[in-house]
Coordinates of all heavy atoms in Angstrom, one line a residue:
P1 N 22.7 12.5 22.5 CA 21.3 12.4 22.3 C 20.5 12.7 23.6 O 19.4 13.2 23.5 CB 21.0 11.1 21.7 CG 22.3 10.6 21.1 CD 23.4 11.3 21.9
W2 N 21.0 12.3 24.7 CA 20.3 12.4 26.0 C 20.0 13.9 26.2 O 18.8 14.3 26.6 CB 21.0 11.8 27.1 CG 20.5 12.1 28.5 CD1 21.0 13.0 29.4 CD2 19.2 11.7 29.0 NE1 20.2 13.1 30.5 CE2 19.1 12.3 30.3 CE3 18.2 10.9 28.6 CZ2 18.0 12.1 31.1 CZ3 17.1 10.7 29.4 CH2 17.0 11.3 30.6
S3 N 21.0 14.8 26.1 CA 20.8 16.2 26.4 C 19.8 16.8 25.4 O 19.0 17.7 25.8 CB 22.1 16.9 26.4 OG 22.7 16.9 25.1
A4 N 19.8 16.4 24.2 CA 18.8 16.9 23.2 C 17.4 16.5 23.6 O 16.5 17.3 23.5 CB 19.2 16.5 21.8
L5 N 17.3 15.2 24.0 CA 16.0 14.7 24.4 C 15.4 15.5 25.6 O 14.3 15.9 25.6 CB 16.0 13.2 24.7 CG 14.7 12.6 25.1 CD1 13.6 12.7 24.1 CD2 15.0 11.1 25.4
V6 N 16.3 15.7 26.6 CA 15.9 16.5 27.8 C 15.5 17.9 27.4 O 14.4 18.4 27.8 CB 17.0 16.5 28.8 CG1 16.7 17.5 29.9 CG2 17.3 15.1 29.3
R7 N 16.2 18.6 26.5 CA 15.9 19.9 26.1 C 14.5 19.9 25.4 O 13.7 20.8 25.6 CB 16.9 20.5 25.2 CG 18.2 20.9 26.0 CD 19.2 21.6 25.1 NE 20.4 21.9 25.9 CZ 21.6 21.4 25.7 NH1 21.8 20.5 24.7 NH2 22.6 21.7 26.4
Y8 N 14.3 19.0 24.4 CA 13.0 18.9 23.7 C 11.9 18.6 24.7 O 10.8 19.2 24.6 CB 13.1 17.8 22.7 CG 13.8 18.1 21.4 CD1 14.7 17.2 20.8 CD2 13.7 19.4 20.8 CE1 15.4 17.5 19.7 CE2 14.4 19.7 19.7 CZ 15.2 18.8 19.1 OH 15.9 19.1 17.9
A9 N 12.1 17.7 25.7 CA 11.1 17.4 26.6 C 10.7 18.7 27.5 O 9.5 18.9 27.8 CB 11.5 16.3 27.5
L10 N 11.7 19.4 27.9 CA 11.5 20.6 28.6 C 10.7 21.7 27.8 O 9.7 22.3 28.3 CB 12.8 21.3 29.1 CG 13.5 20.5 30.2 CD1 14.9 21.1 30.5 CD2 12.7 20.5 31.5
L11 N 11.1 21.8 26.6 CA 10.3 22.8 25.7 C 8.9 22.2 25.4 O 8.0 23.0 25.3 CB 11.1 23.0 24.4 CG 12.4 23.8 24.5 CD1 13.2 23.8 23.3 CD2 12.0 25.2 24.9
A12 N 8.8 20.9 25.3 CA 7.5 20.3 25.1 C 6.5 20.6 26.2 O 5.3 20.9 26.1 CB 7.6 18.8 24.9
E13 N 7.1 20.6 27.4 CA 6.3 20.9 28.6 C 5.8 22.4 28.6 O 4.8 22.7 29.2 CB 7.1 20.6 29.9 CG 7.3 19.2 30.2 CD 5.9 18.5 30.4 OE1 5.1 19.0 31.2 OE2 5.7 17.4 29.9
K14 N 6.5 23.2 27.9 CA 6.1 24.6 27.8 C 5.2 24.8 26.6 O 4.8 26.0 26.4 CB 7.4 25.5 27.6 CG 8.2 25.5 28.9 CD 9.4 26.5 28.7 CE 10.1 26.6 30.0 NZ 11.0 27.8 30.0
G15 N 4.8 23.8 25.9 CA 3.8 23.9 24.8 C 4.4 24.0 23.4 O 3.6 24.2 22.5
S16 N 5.6 23.7 23.2 CA 6.2 23.7 21.9 C 5.8 22.5 21.1 O 6.2 21.4 21.4 CB 7.7 23.9 21.9 OG 8.3 23.7 20.6
E17 N 5.1 22.7 20.0 CA 4.7 21.5 19.2 C 5.9 20.9 18.5 O 6.0 19.6 18.5 CB 3.6 21.9 18.1 CG 3.1 20.8 17.3 CD 4.0 20.5 16.1 OE1 4.5 21.4 15.5 OE2 4.3 19.3 15.9
S18 N 6.8 21.7 18.0 CA 7.9 21.1 17.3 C 8.8 20.3 18.2 O 9.4 19.3 17.9 CB 8.7 22.1 16.5 OG 9.2 23.1 17.3
A19 N 9.0 20.9 19.4 CA 9.8 20.2 20.4 C 9.2 18.9 20.9 O 9.8 17.8 21.1 CB 10.1 21.0 21.6
T20 N 7.8 18.9 21.0 CA 7.1 17.7 21.3 C 7.3 16.6 20.2 O 7.5 15.4 20.5 CB 5.6 18.0 21.5 OG1 5.5 19.0 22.5 CG2 4.8 16.8 21.9
A21 N 7.1 17.0 19.0 CA 7.3 16.1 17.9 C 8.7 15.5 17.8 O 8.9 14.3 17.6 CB 7.0 16.8 16.5
N22 N 9.7 16.4 18.1 CA 11.1 15.9 18.0 C 11.4 15.0 19.2 O 12.1 14.0 19.0 CB 12.1 17.1 18.1 CG 12.1 17.9 16.8 OD1 11.8 17.4 15.8 ND2 12.5 19.2 16.9
A23 N 10.9 15.3 20.4 CA 11.1 14.4 21.5 C 10.4 13.0 21.2 O 11.0 12.0 21.5 CB 10.5 15.0 22.8
A24 N 9.2 13.0 20.7 CA 8.5 11.8 20.3 C 9.3 11.0 19.3 O 9.4 9.8 19.5 CB 7.1 12.1 19.8
W25 N 9.8 11.7 18.3 CA 10.6 11.0 17.3 C 11.9 10.3 17.9 O 12.2 9.2 17.6 CB 11.0 11.9 16.2 CG 11.8 11.3 15.1 CD1 11.2 10.6 14.0 CD2 13.2 11.2 14.9 NE1 12.3 10.2 13.2 CE2 13.5 10.5 13.7 CE3 14.2 11.7 15.7 CZ2 14.8 10.3 13.3 CZ3 15.5 11.5 15.2 CH2 15.8 10.8 14.1
M26 N 12.6 11.1 18.7 CA 13.8 10.6 19.3 C 13.4 9.3 20.2 O 14.2 8.3 20.2 CB 14.5 11.6 20.2 CG 15.1 12.7 19.4 SD 16.0 13.9 20.4 CE 17.4 12.9 20.9
L27 N 12.4 9.4 21.0 CA 12.0 8.3 21.8 C 11.6 7.1 21.0 O 12.0 5.9 21.3 CB 10.8 8.7 22.7 CG 11.1 9.6 23.9 CD1 9.9 10.2 24.5 CD2 11.9 8.8 24.9
S28 N 10.9 7.3 19.9 CA 10.4 6.2 19.0 C 11.6 5.5 18.4 O 11.6 4.3 18.1 CB 9.4 6.6 18.0 OG 10.0 7.5 17.1
K29 N 12.7 6.2 18.1 CA 13.9 5.7 17.5 C 14.9 5.2 18.5 O 16.0 4.6 18.2 CB 14.6 6.7 16.6 CG 13.8 7.3 15.5 CD 13.4 6.2 14.5 CE 12.6 6.7 13.4 NZ 12.1 5.7 12.5
G30 N 14.6 5.4 19.8 CA 15.6 4.9 20.8 C 16.8 5.8 21.0 O 17.8 5.4 21.4
L31 N 16.6 7.1 20.6 CA 17.8 8.0 20.7 C 17.6 8.8 22.0 O 16.6 9.4 22.3 CB 17.8 9.0 19.5 CG 17.9 8.3 18.2 CD1 17.7 9.4 17.1 CD2 19.3 7.7 18.0
G32 N 18.6 8.7 22.9 CA 18.6 9.5 24.1 C 18.0 8.7 25.3 O 18.3 9.0 26.4
Y33 N 17.2 7.7 25.0 CA 16.6 6.9 26.0 C 16.2 5.5 25.4 O 15.5 5.5 24.4 CB 15.4 7.6 26.6 CG 14.7 6.8 27.7 CD1 15.3 6.6 28.9 CD2 13.4 6.2 27.5 CE1 14.6 5.9 29.9 CE2 12.8 5.5 28.5 CZ 13.4 5.3 29.7 OH 12.8 4.6 30.7
K34 N 16.7 4.4 26.0 CA 16.4 3.1 25.5 C 15.6 2.2 26.4 O 15.6 1.0 26.3 CB 17.7 2.4 25.1 CG 18.5 3.1 24.0 CD 19.7 2.4 23.6 CE 20.6 3.1 22.6 NZ 20.0 3.5 21.4
G35 N 15.0 2.9 27.4 CA 14.2 2.1 28.4 C 13.0 1.3 27.8 O 12.6 1.6 26.6
A36 N 12.6 0.3 28.5 CA 11.5 -0.5 28.0 C 10.2 0.2 27.7 O 9.4 -0.2 26.9 CB 11.3 -1.7 29.0
D37 N 10.1 1.3 28.4 CA 8.8 2.1 28.2 C 8.9 3.3 27.2 O 8.1 4.1 27.1 CB 8.4 2.7 29.6 CG 9.5 3.7 30.1 OD1 10.6 3.6 29.7 OD2 9.1 4.5 31.0
R38 N 10.0 3.2 26.4 CA 10.2 4.3 25.4 C 9.1 4.5 24.4 O 8.8 5.6 24.1 CB 11.6 4.2 24.7 CG 11.7 3.1 23.7 CD 13.0 3.0 23.1 NE 13.1 2.0 22.1 CZ 12.6 2.0 20.9 NH1 12.0 3.0 20.4 NH2 12.7 0.9 20.1
L39 N 8.5 3.4 24.0 CA 7.4 3.5 23.0 C 6.2 4.1 23.7 O 5.4 4.8 23.0 CB 7.1 2.1 22.4 CG 8.1 1.6 21.4 CD1 7.7 0.2 20.8 CD2 8.4 2.6 20.3
E40 N 5.9 3.7 24.9 CA 4.8 4.3 25.6 C 5.0 5.8 25.8 O 4.1 6.6 25.6 CB 4.7 3.7 27.0 CG 4.3 2.3 27.0 CD 2.9 2.0 26.4 OE1 2.0 2.8 26.6 OE2 2.7 1.0 25.8
L41 N 6.2 6.2 26.1 CA 6.6 7.7 26.2 C 6.4 8.4 24.9 O 5.9 9.5 24.8 CB 8.0 7.9 26.8 CG 8.2 7.4 28.2 CD1 9.6 7.4 28.6 CD2 7.4 8.2 29.2
A42 N 6.9 7.7 23.8 CA 6.8 8.3 22.5 C 5.4 8.5 22.1 O 5.0 9.5 21.5 CB 7.6 7.4 21.5
Q43 N 4.6 7.4 22.4 CA 3.2 7.5 22.0 C 2.5 8.7 22.7 O 1.7 9.4 22.1 CB 2.5 6.2 22.4 CG 1.0 6.2 22.0 CD 0.3 4.8 22.3 OE1 1.0 3.8 22.5 NE2 -1.0 4.8 22.3
G44 N 2.8 8.9 24.0 CA 2.2 10.0 24.7 C 2.7 11.4 24.1 O 1.9 12.3 24.0
M45 N 3.9 11.4 23.7 CA 4.4 12.7 23.1 C 3.7 12.9 21.8 O 3.4 14.0 21.4 CB 5.9 12.6 22.9 CG 6.7 12.8 24.2 SD 6.5 14.6 24.7 CE 7.9 14.7 25.9
H46 N 3.6 11.8 21.0 CA 2.9 12.0 19.7 C 1.4 12.4 19.9 O 0.9 13.3 19.1 CB 3.0 10.7 18.9 CG 4.3 10.5 18.2 ND1 4.8 11.4 17.3 CD2 5.1 9.5 18.2 CE1 6.0 10.9 16.8 NE2 6.2 9.8 17.4
E47 N 0.8 11.9 20.9 CA -0.6 12.3 21.2 C -0.7 13.7 21.5 O -1.6 14.5 21.1 CB -1.2 11.4 22.3 CG -1.5 10.0 21.8 CD -1.8 9.0 22.9 OE1 -1.7 9.3 24.1 OE2 -2.2 7.9 22.5
R48 N 0.3 14.2 22.3 CA 0.4 15.6 22.7 C 0.6 16.5 21.5 O 0.0 17.5 21.3 CB 1.5 15.8 23.7 CG 1.5 17.2 24.2 CD 2.6 17.5 25.2 NE 2.4 16.7 26.4 CZ 3.3 16.7 27.4 NH1 4.3 17.5 27.4 NH2 3.0 16.0 28.5
S49 N 1.5 16.0 20.6 CA 1.8 16.7 19.4 C 0.5 16.9 18.5 O 0.3 17.9 17.9 CB 2.9 16.0 18.6 OG 3.3 16.7 17.5
V50 N -0.3 15.8 18.4 CA -1.5 15.9 17.7 C -2.4 17.0 18.3 O -3.0 17.8 17.6 CB -2.2 14.5 17.7 CG1 -3.7 14.7 17.2 CG2 -1.5 13.5 16.8
M51 N -2.5 17.0 19.6 CA -3.4 18.0 20.3 C -2.9 19.4 20.1 O -3.6 20.3 20.1 CB -3.5 17.7 21.8 CG -4.3 16.4 22.1 SD -4.6 16.2 23.8 CE -3.0 15.8 24.5
L52 N -1.6 19.5 19.8 CA -1.0 20.8 19.5 C -1.1 21.2 18.1 O -0.6 22.3 17.7 CB 0.5 20.9 20.0 CG 0.7 20.8 21.5 CD1 2.1 20.6 21.9 CD2 0.1 22.1 22.2
G53 N -1.7 20.4 17.2 CA -1.9 20.7 15.9 C -1.1 20.0 14.8 O -1.2 20.3 13.6
N54 N -0.3 19.1 15.2 CA 0.6 18.4 14.2 C -0.2 17.2 13.7 O -0.3 16.1 14.3 CB 1.9 17.9 14.9 CG 2.8 17.2 14.0 OD1 2.5 16.9 12.8 ND2 4.0 16.8 14.5
K55 N -0.7 17.4 12.5 CA -1.5 16.3 11.8 C -0.7 15.1 11.4 O -1.1 14.0 11.4 CB -2.3 16.9 10.6 CG -3.3 17.9 11.0 CD -4.0 18.4 9.8 CE -5.0 19.5 10.0 NZ -5.3 20.0 11.3
E56 N 0.6 15.3 11.1 CA 1.5 14.3 10.7 C 1.8 13.3 11.8 O 2.2 12.1 11.6 CB 2.8 14.8 10.2 CG 2.6 15.6 8.9 CD 3.9 16.2 8.4 OE1 5.0 16.0 9.0 OE2 3.9 17.0 7.4
A57 N 1.6 13.7 13.1 CA 1.8 12.8 14.2 C 0.9 11.7 14.2 O 1.1 10.6 14.9 CB 1.7 13.6 15.5
H58 N -0.3 11.8 13.5 CA -1.2 10.6 13.4 C -0.5 9.4 12.8 O -0.7 8.3 13.2 CB -2.4 11.0 12.6 CG -3.4 11.9 13.3 ND1 -4.2 11.4 14.3 CD2 -3.7 13.2 13.2 CE1 -5.0 12.4 14.8 NE2 -4.6 13.5 14.1
V59 N 0.3 9.7 11.8 CA 1.0 8.6 11.1 C 2.1 8.0 12.1 O 2.2 6.8 12.1 CB 1.8 9.2 9.8 CG1 2.6 8.1 9.2 CG2 0.7 9.7 8.8
D60 N 2.7 8.9 12.8 CA 3.7 8.4 13.8 C 3.1 7.5 14.8 O 3.7 6.6 15.3 CB 4.5 9.6 14.4 CG 5.3 10.3 13.3 OD1 5.8 9.7 12.4 OD2 5.4 11.6 13.4
L61 N 1.9 7.9 15.3 CA 1.1 7.1 16.2 C 0.8 5.7 15.7 O 1.0 4.7 16.4 CB -0.2 7.8 16.6 CG -0.1 8.9 17.7 CD1 -1.4 9.6 17.8 CD2 0.3 8.3 19.0
G62 N 0.4 5.7 14.4 CA 0.2 4.4 13.8 C 1.5 3.6 13.7 O 1.4 2.3 14.0
D63 N 2.6 4.2 13.4 CA 3.9 3.5 13.4 C 4.2 2.9 14.7 O 4.7 1.8 14.8 CB 5.0 4.4 12.9 CG 4.9 4.8 11.5 OD1 4.1 4.1 10.7 OD2 5.5 5.8 11.1
I64 N 4.0 3.7 15.8 CA 4.3 3.2 17.1 C 3.4 2.0 17.5 O 3.8 1.0 18.1 CB 4.2 4.3 18.2 CG1 5.4 5.3 18.0 CG2 4.1 3.8 19.6 CD1 5.3 6.5 18.9
K65 N 2.1 2.2 17.2 CA 1.2 1.1 17.5 C 1.6 -0.2 16.8 O 1.5 -1.3 17.3 CB -0.2 1.5 17.2 CG -0.8 2.5 18.2 CD -2.2 2.9 17.9 CE -2.6 4.0 19.0 NZ -4.0 4.4 18.8
W66 N 2.0 -0.1 15.5 CA 2.5 -1.2 14.8 C 3.7 -1.8 15.4 O 3.8 -3.0 15.5 CB 2.7 -0.8 13.3 CG 3.1 -2.0 12.5 CD1 4.4 -2.2 11.9 CD2 2.3 -3.1 12.1 NE1 4.4 -3.3 11.2 CE2 3.1 -3.9 11.3 CE3 1.0 -3.4 12.3 CZ2 2.7 -5.1 10.7 CZ3 0.5 -4.6 11.7 CH2 1.4 -5.4 11.0
A67 N 4.7 -1.0 15.8 CA 5.9 -1.4 16.4 C 5.6 -2.2 17.7 O 6.2 -3.2 18.0 CB 6.9 -0.3 16.7
K68 N 4.6 -1.7 18.5 CA 4.3 -2.4 19.7 C 3.6 -3.7 19.4 O 3.9 -4.7 20.1 CB 3.3 -1.5 20.5 CG 4.0 -0.3 21.2 CD 3.1 0.8 21.7 CE 2.2 0.3 22.8 NZ 1.4 1.4 23.3
L69 N 2.8 -3.8 18.3 CA 2.2 -5.1 17.9 C 3.3 -6.1 17.6 O 3.3 -7.2 18.0 CB 1.3 -4.9 16.8 CG -0.2 -4.5 17.1 CD1 -0.9 -4.2 15.8 CD2 -0.8 -5.6 17.9
K70 N 4.3 -5.6 16.8 CA 5.4 -6.5 16.3 C 6.2 -6.9 17.5 O 6.6 -8.1 17.6 CB 6.3 -5.8 15.3 CG 5.6 -5.7 13.9 CD 6.6 -5.2 12.8 CE 7.7 -4.4 13.2 NZ 8.5 -3.8 12.1
A71 N 6.5 -6.0 18.5 CA 7.3 -6.4 19.6 C 6.5 -7.4 20.5 O 7.2 -8.2 21.2 CB 7.6 -5.1 20.5
G72 N 5.2 -7.4 20.5 CA 4.4 -8.3 21.2 C 4.1 -9.6 20.5 O 3.2 -10.4 20.9
G73 N 4.7 -9.8 19.4 CA 4.5 -11.1 18.6 C 3.6 -10.9 17.5 O 3.2 -11.9 16.8
G74 N 3.1 -9.7 17.2 CA 2.3 -9.4 16.1 C 0.8 -9.4 16.4 O 0.4 -9.7 17.6
P75 N 0.0 -9.1 15.5 CA -1.5 -9.0 15.7 C -2.0 -10.4 16.1 O -1.5 -11.4 15.6 CB -2.1 -8.5 14.4 CG -0.9 -8.0 13.6 CD 0.3 -8.6 14.1
R76 N -3.0 -10.5 16.9 CA -3.6 -11.7 17.3 C -4.8 -12.0 16.4 O -5.9 -12.2 16.9 CB -4.0 -11.7 18.8 CG -2.9 -11.3 19.7 CD -1.9 -12.5 19.8 NE -1.0 -12.3 20.9 CZ 0.3 -11.9 20.7 NH1 0.7 -11.6 19.5 NH2 1.1 -11.7 21.7
L77 N -4.6 -12.1 15.1 CA -5.7 -12.3 14.2 C -5.4 -13.6 13.4 O -4.2 -14.0 13.3 CB -5.9 -11.2 13.2 CG -6.2 -9.8 13.8 CD1 -6.1 -8.7 12.7 CD2 -7.5 -9.8 14.5
S78 N -6.4 -14.2 12.8 CA -6.2 -15.3 11.9 C -5.4 -14.9 10.7 O -5.5 -13.7 10.4 CB -7.5 -16.0 11.6 OG -8.2 -15.1 10.6
P79 N -4.7 -15.8 10.0 CA -4.0 -15.3 8.8 C -4.8 -14.7 7.7 O -4.3 -14.0 6.9 CB -3.3 -16.6 8.3 CG -3.5 -17.6 9.4 CD -4.6 -17.2 10.3
T80 N -6.1 -14.9 7.7 CA -6.9 -14.4 6.7 C -7.8 -13.3 7.2 O -8.8 -12.9 6.5 CB -7.8 -15.5 6.0 OG1 -8.6 -16.1 7.1 CG2 -7.0 -16.6 5.4
A81 N -7.5 -12.7 8.3 CA -8.3 -11.6 8.8 C -7.7 -10.2 8.5 O -6.5 -10.1 8.5 CB -8.5 -11.7 10.3
A82 N -8.5 -9.2 8.3 CA -8.0 -7.9 8.1 C -8.9 -6.9 9.0 O -10.1 -7.2 9.2 CB -8.2 -7.5 6.6
V83 N -8.3 -5.9 9.4 CA -9.0 -4.9 10.2 C -9.5 -3.8 9.3 O -8.6 -3.2 8.6 CB -8.2 -4.3 11.4 CG1 -8.9 -3.3 12.2 CG2 -7.7 -5.5 12.3
V84 N -10.8 -3.6 9.2 CA -11.3 -2.5 8.3 C -12.3 -1.7 9.2 O -13.3 -2.2 9.7 CB -12.1 -3.2 7.1 CG1 -12.7 -2.1 6.2 CG2 -11.2 -4.1 6.4
G85 N -11.9 -0.4 9.3 CA -12.8 0.5 10.0 C -13.0 0.1 11.5 O -14.1 0.3 12.0
G86 N -12.0 -0.6 12.1 CA -12.2 -1.0 13.5 C -12.8 -2.4 13.6 O -12.8 -2.9 14.7
D87 N -13.3 -3.0 12.5 CA -13.9 -4.3 12.6 C -13.0 -5.3 12.0 O -12.3 -5.0 11.0 CB -15.3 -4.3 11.9 CG -16.3 -3.4 12.5 OD1 -16.3 -3.3 13.8 OD2 -17.0 -2.8 11.8
V88 N -13.0 -6.5 12.5 CA -12.2 -7.6 11.9 C -13.1 -8.3 10.9 O -14.2 -8.7 11.2 CB -11.8 -8.6 13.0 CG1 -11.0 -9.8 12.4 CG2 -10.9 -7.9 14.0
T89 N -12.6 -8.4 9.7 CA -13.4 -9.1 8.6 C -12.5 -10.1 8.0 O -11.3 -10.0 8.0 CB -13.8 -8.1 7.5 OG1 -12.6 -7.5 7.0 CG2 -14.7 -7.0 8.1
E90 N -13.1 -11.2 7.6 CA -12.4 -12.3 6.9 C -12.1 -11.9 5.5 O -12.9 -11.2 4.8 CB -13.2 -13.6 6.9 CG -13.3 -14.2 8.3 CD -12.0 -14.6 8.9 OE1 -11.1 -15.2 8.2 OE2 -11.7 -14.3 10.1
T91 N -10.9 -12.2 5.0 CA -10.5 -11.9 3.7 C -10.3 -13.2 2.9 O -10.3 -14.3 3.5 CB -9.2 -11.1 3.6 OG1 -8.2 -11.9 4.2 CG2 -9.3 -9.8 4.3
H92 N -10.2 -13.1 1.6 CA -10.0 -14.3 0.8 C -8.6 -14.7 0.8 O -7.7 -13.8 0.9 CB -10.6 -14.1 -0.6 CG -12.0 -13.8 -0.6 ND1 -13.0 -14.8 -0.4 CD2 -12.7 -12.6 -0.8 CE1 -14.2 -14.2 -0.5 NE2 -14.0 -12.9 -0.7
A93 N -8.3 -15.9 0.6 CA -6.9 -16.3 0.5 C -6.1 -15.5 -0.6 O -6.6 -15.2 -1.6 CB -6.8 -17.8 0.1
G94 N -4.9 -15.1 -0.2 CA -4.1 -14.3 -1.1 C -4.3 -12.8 -0.9 O -3.5 -12.0 -1.4
D95 N -5.3 -12.3 -0.1 CA -5.5 -10.9 0.1 C -4.4 -10.4 1.1 O -4.2 -9.2 1.1 CB -6.9 -10.6 0.7 CG -7.9 -10.7 -0.4 OD1 -7.6 -10.8 -1.6 OD2 -9.1 -10.5 0.0
E96 N -3.8 -11.3 1.9 CA -2.8 -10.8 2.8 C -1.7 -10.1 2.1 O -1.2 -9.0 2.6 CB -2.2 -12.0 3.7 CG -3.2 -12.7 4.5 CD -3.9 -13.8 3.7 OE1 -3.3 -14.4 2.8 OE2 -5.1 -14.1 3.9
E97 N -1.3 -10.6 1.0 CA -0.2 -10.0 0.2 C -0.6 -8.6 -0.3 O 0.1 -7.6 -0.2 CB 0.2 -10.9 -0.9 CG 1.4 -10.3 -1.7 CD 1.9 -11.3 -2.8 OE1 1.5 -12.4 -2.8 OE2 2.7 -10.8 -3.6
A98 N -1.9 -8.5 -0.8 CA -2.4 -7.2 -1.3 C -2.4 -6.2 -0.1 O -2.1 -5.0 -0.3 CB -3.7 -7.4 -1.9
I99 N -2.9 -6.6 1.0 CA -3.0 -5.7 2.2 C -1.6 -5.3 2.6 O -1.4 -4.1 2.8 CB -3.7 -6.4 3.4 CG1 -5.2 -6.6 3.0 CG2 -3.6 -5.6 4.6 CD1 -5.9 -7.5 3.9
T100 N -0.6 -6.2 2.6 CA 0.7 -5.8 3.0 C 1.3 -4.8 2.0 O 2.0 -3.9 2.4 CB 1.6 -7.1 3.0 OG1 1.1 -8.0 4.0 CG2 3.1 -6.8 3.4
K101 N 1.1 -5.0 0.7 CA 1.6 -4.1 -0.3 C 1.0 -2.7 -0.1 O 1.6 -1.7 -0.2 CB 1.3 -4.6 -1.7 CG 2.2 -5.7 -2.2 CD 1.9 -6.1 -3.6 CE 2.7 -7.3 -4.0 NZ 2.4 -7.8 -5.4
E102 N -0.3 -2.7 0.2 CA -1.0 -1.4 0.4 C -0.4 -0.7 1.6 O -0.2 0.5 1.5 CB -2.5 -1.6 0.6 CG -3.2 -0.4 1.0 CD -4.3 0.0 0.0 OE1 -4.6 -0.8 -0.9 OE2 -4.8 1.1 0.1
V103 N -0.2 -1.4 2.7 CA 0.4 -0.8 3.9 C 1.8 -0.3 3.6 O 2.1 0.9 4.0 CB 0.4 -1.8 5.1 CG1 1.3 -1.3 6.2 CG2 -1.0 -2.1 5.5
N104 N 2.6 -1.0 2.9 CA 3.9 -0.6 2.5 C 3.9 0.6 1.6 O 4.7 1.5 1.7 CB 4.7 -1.7 1.8 CG 5.1 -2.8 2.8 OD1 5.1 -2.6 4.0 ND2 5.3 -4.0 2.3
T105 N 3.0 0.7 0.7 CA 2.8 1.8 -0.2 C 2.5 3.1 0.6 O 3.0 4.1 0.4 CB 1.7 1.5 -1.3 OG1 2.1 0.4 -2.0 CG2 1.5 2.7 -2.2
L106 N 1.5 2.9 1.5 CA 1.2 4.1 2.3 C 2.3 4.5 3.2 O 2.6 5.7 3.4 CB 0.0 3.7 3.2 CG -1.4 3.5 2.5 CD1 -2.4 3.0 3.4 CD2 -1.8 4.8 1.8
S107 N 3.1 3.6 3.8 CA 4.3 3.9 4.6 C 5.3 4.6 3.7 O 5.9 5.6 4.2 CB 4.9 2.7 5.2 OG 4.0 2.1 6.1
D108 N 5.5 4.1 2.5 CA 6.5 4.8 1.6 C 6.1 6.2 1.2 O 6.9 7.1 1.2 CB 6.8 3.9 0.4 CG 7.4 2.6 0.7 OD1 8.0 2.4 1.7 OD2 7.4 1.7 -0.2
A109 N 4.8 6.4 1.0 CA 4.3 7.7 0.6 C 4.4 8.6 1.8 O 4.8 9.8 1.6 CB 2.8 7.6 0.2
S110 N 4.2 8.1 3.0 CA 4.3 9.0 4.2 C 5.8 9.4 4.4 O 6.1 10.5 4.7 CB 3.8 8.2 5.4 OG 4.1 8.9 6.5
A111 N 6.7 8.4 4.2 CA 8.1 8.7 4.4 C 8.6 9.7 3.3 O 9.4 10.6 3.7 CB 8.9 7.4 4.3
S112 N 8.2 9.6 2.1 CA 8.7 10.5 1.1 C 8.1 11.9 1.2 O 8.7 12.9 0.8 CB 8.3 9.9 -0.3 OG 6.9 9.9 -0.5
A113 N 6.9 12.0 1.9 CA 6.3 13.3 2.1 C 7.1 14.1 3.2 O 7.0 15.3 3.2 CB 4.9 13.2 2.6
E114 N 7.8 13.4 4.0 CA 8.6 14.1 5.0 C 9.9 14.7 4.4 O 10.4 15.6 4.5 CB 9.1 13.1 6.1 CG 7.9 12.6 6.9 CD 8.3 11.5 7.9 OE1 9.4 11.7 8.5 OE2 7.6 10.6 8.0

């Protein structure tokens, strides 16, 4: 995996969108490089992939941000808070389950589209 990651990274530096997306995916999965900064590197590659026209990389960026939140102990919100449009809003008891189901549904739809 290391040699593939290096090749993708070199091609990404030359402007290849698919190589950028592949390098980002490998980094996010810990393939070829397992350093503590791999999610930061993957995030940078996904951002570059977006700038090169890969709209699907937006989903991957969200996945990385979520993984970073989980690695850091999770979101720092109250159990009844939800983030809507960048604002934290209070939800009613029981809404956490509905929000989790919605996120899982969106994740499953994204995965099946690939």
